[in-house]
Amino acid sequence: MAEANGLIQAVTIGAILAGTVAFTALFETWVSPQDQTPAQLLRQIAPLGWLLVLNSALQVVALYRLPLDNTIRSELPLTWQRYIKGTALKDNLRIIAHQPVIRLSIIGLATFWSVGQVLLAAFPAYAKDALSINNTLVPQGILAASGIGIALGSLFASKLSHNRIETGLIPVGAIGVAVGLWCLPLLTTPVSQALNFVFIGIMGGLFIVPLNALIQFHAADNELGTVLAANNWIQNIAMLGFWCSRRCSRWRE
């Protein structure tokens, strides 16, 4: 299970990385913000928007080509009332609350991706002020290095697991991420920052792959979809909370 999670994580991060770099490069190539009105800028980036729409359409086509799994239908009907009243959310959170391993794994994943969200939002401004980098492609490339690191770390976690969930990788990854974050303000060149982000990504891959595997292993077969949905919901709420706290701190300044 850990090996499969590692491969999936590596492929996913690779796709995100490729899309980020490609669209950043296209933005730098097509858009010239000097002496232009907002309307002119919107017209220039419109083709990029249509490329995103085309990419989304291709994703939908690929989604519908996936084979259907002959699973047992849930006894709970999918109705809007359960979501509007919050019943579905309460049921999902109740399942997680009764499983300490799942609960703690979700907290760990939510914390990791929330820190990543803050880095993603804050680093471009930091690179401009502290490193004097004005080309947006450079900080995006540095951030993309973390994606390369996560992909490598996920593959390492897959190889080190050997058909089991290697929980010993979790503290190693957590300590490594902390060390990388501590080193971040000490580095003054784009190359050193990129290498540091690769290191943070590798440690992050070692951290998240076992946690994802633990969630899937400890969730009951008839509750796995519910647990994964709650996991995604909590992660997104945590990332939103970290982002809002950063915006509030900047507003106070």
Side-chain angles (χ1 to χ4, degrees):
M1 184 175 291
E3 292 182 84
N5 274 282
L7 292 174
I8 292 173
Q9 196 72 53
V11 173
T12 302
I13 294 298
I16 295 173
L17 172 62
T20 301
V21 173
F23 276 90
T24 301
L26 289 173
F27 182 86
E28 284 290 329
T29 302
W30 290 359
V31 177
S32 177
Q34 285 79 11
D35 301 327
Q36 291 194 17
T37 64
Q40 291 174 326
L41 288 175
L42 285 175
R43 281 194 294 270
Q44 282 193 333
I45 65 174
L48 295 180
W50 287 112
L51 280 177
L52 287 173
V53 172
L54 177 61
N55 185 48
S56 299
L58 292 175
Q59 291 181 37
V60 173
V61 172
L63 173 65
Y64 278 99
R65 290 179 62 87
L66 292 174
L68 295 177
D69 189 11
N70 295 323
T71 56
I72 301 175
R73 289 184 175 272
S74 174
E75 297 178 357
L76 294 175
L78 184 62
T79 60
W80 284 109
Q81 287 76 11
R82 295 187 67 243
Y83 291 93
I84 294 174
K85 295 179 180 179
T87 305
L89 177 60
K90 292 178 182 178
D91 293 340
N92 294 353
L93 295 179
R94 188 179 299 111
I95 294 174
I96 295 174
H98 293 160
Q99 292 279 357
V101 175
I102 294 177
R103 182 176 68 251
L104 294 175
S105 298
I106 291 176
I107 292 174
L109 289 170
T111 303
F112 173 79
W113 291 116
S114 297
V115 171
Q117 173 71 20
V118 173
L119 278 178
L120 184 66
F123 184 76
Y126 171 79
K128 182 178 181 180
D129 296 337
L131 305 179
S132 300
I133 299 175
N134 295 316
N135 188 341
T136 58
L137 187 58
V138 176
Q140 290 296 330
I142 295 175
L143 290 172
S146 65
I148 296 174
I150 292 177
L152 292 175
S154 300
L155 292 176
F156 291 157
S158 173
K159 296 298 182 182
L160 294 172
S161 295
H162 298 299
N163 296 320
R164 66 178 184 274
I165 302 175
E166 184 53 76
T167 56
L169 297 176
I170 298 174
V172 173
I175 294 173
V177 170
V179 171
L181 294 176
W182 179 78
C183 292
L184 194 148
L186 305 178
L187 305 174
T188 57
T189 64
V191 174
S192 61
Q193 287 285 358
L195 293 175
N196 186 48
F197 270 92
V198 171
F199 173 77
I200 293 174
I202 291 175
M203 294 297 105
L206 297 178
F207 179 73
I208 62 178
V209 168
L211 291 179
N212 279 315
L214 284 173
I215 292 173
Q216 297 173 26
F217 180 79
H218 286 276
D221 292 340
N222 62 333
E223 296 176 345
L224 180 57
T226 300
V227 170
L228 293 178
N231 176 32
N232 290 331
W233 184 83
I234 292 174
Q235 287 185 34
N236 282 280
I237 290 296
M239 287 189 289
L240 179 62
F242 272 61
W243 181 84
C244 289
S245 64
R246 176 182 174 273
R247 298 298 296 181
C248 290
S249 63
R250 290 189 62 183
W251 178 75
R252 290 177 181 177
E253 294 175 358

